[in-house]
Amino acid sequence: MYTFAQGTLADLPRFYELISARIAWMDERGIQQWNTTDYWEVYPEAHYEALTRRGEFYILRRESDGILAAGAALYESDPRWPDCTPPAFYMHHLATDLAAPGAGREMLRRCEELARRRGKVYMRLDCAVDNGPLNRYYEAQGYVFAGTCDDGAYAGNLRQKRV
């Protein structure tokens, strides 16, 4: 149903579309996350180009038509976490196609598999403290609360899952 791979620079325009669609979706539903933190100013296109060149951008593509259904960044460390041990992947910028139900779960599952293969103990991520739907979603996927973080206007819950 999906193929998982490292993303390329050619994948970025479609990924930007996914992020913009998610920001509009958050606005429509009154969800506070990317839409309230100047997302595109904090993470401009140059940010994504650099992480792609470093091999930190991963994608999920639909096998049926080759369309990018999800993307995310996986980092080896994260300044939002006070202690980056034991080894973990830190996921950021997870965005999925609104027309691809289940793509988020599949992206998480594939990233967790990659983390296991690379000798990581945890997959770690964060989401806004006041984003109830996303906090519940990550809990349902097995990500447990592991603390909080502050980054400018952003206040987040740290979550992790043993892989």
Side-chain angles (χ1 to χ4, degrees):
M1 181 175 224
Y2 292 106
T3 57
F4 176 76
Q6 230 172 12
T8 68
L9 293 174
D11 295 314
L12 289 177
R14 170 67 177 151
F15 187 62
Y16 302 151
E17 290 173 7
L18 296 181
I19 291 172
S20 292
R22 279 296 173 179
I23 290 171
W25 179 85
M26 289 173 196
D27 282 337
E28 291 168 4
R29 284 164 180 72
I31 295 171
Q32 307 294 304
Q33 185 81 31
W34 295 342
N35 55 335
T36 60
T37 58
D38 297 321
Y39 188 86
W40 285 118
E41 288 181 34
V42 176
Y43 302 107
E45 291 180 7
H47 170 79
Y48 290 99
E49 292 164 6
L51 69 88
T52 301
R53 285 187 181 98
R54 290 191 306 266
E56 297 171 333
F57 177 49
Y58 290 84
I59 60 164
L60 196 66
R61 193 179 300 285
R62 290 191 306 239
E63 289 178 353
S64 61
D65 58 12
I67 300 293
L68 189 109
L74 294 179
Y75 302 122
E76 297 280 337
S77 64
D78 187 339
R80 291 180 179 172
W81 286 76
D83 181 7
C84 289
T85 58
F89 268 147
Y90 298 83
M91 178 182 279
H92 284 277
H93 315 295
L94 173 61
T96 62
D97 186 339
L98 291 163
R105 275 189 306 277
E106 184 64 15
M107 185 68 172
L108 287 168
R109 188 182 73 74
R110 298 287 186 103
C111 290
E112 291 160 8
E113 285 177 1
L114 179 63
R116 262 190 307 279
R117 286 195 312 269
R118 299 256 179 102
K120 307 301 182 192
V121 175
Y122 290 107
M123 176 67 71
R124 291 177 167 165
L125 47 78
D126 61 82
C127 63
V129 169
D130 56 358
N131 185 339
L134 190 55
N135 276 285
R136 288 188 296 276
Y137 175 80
Y138 286 137
E139 285 175 16
Q141 305 310 311
Y143 286 82
V144 298
F145 178 79
T148 60
C149 66
D150 291 305
D151 187 3
Y154 175 74
N157 284 332
L158 302 173
R159 298 190 165 281
Q160 65 185 10
K161 180 178 182 179
R162 185 173 283 277
V163 295

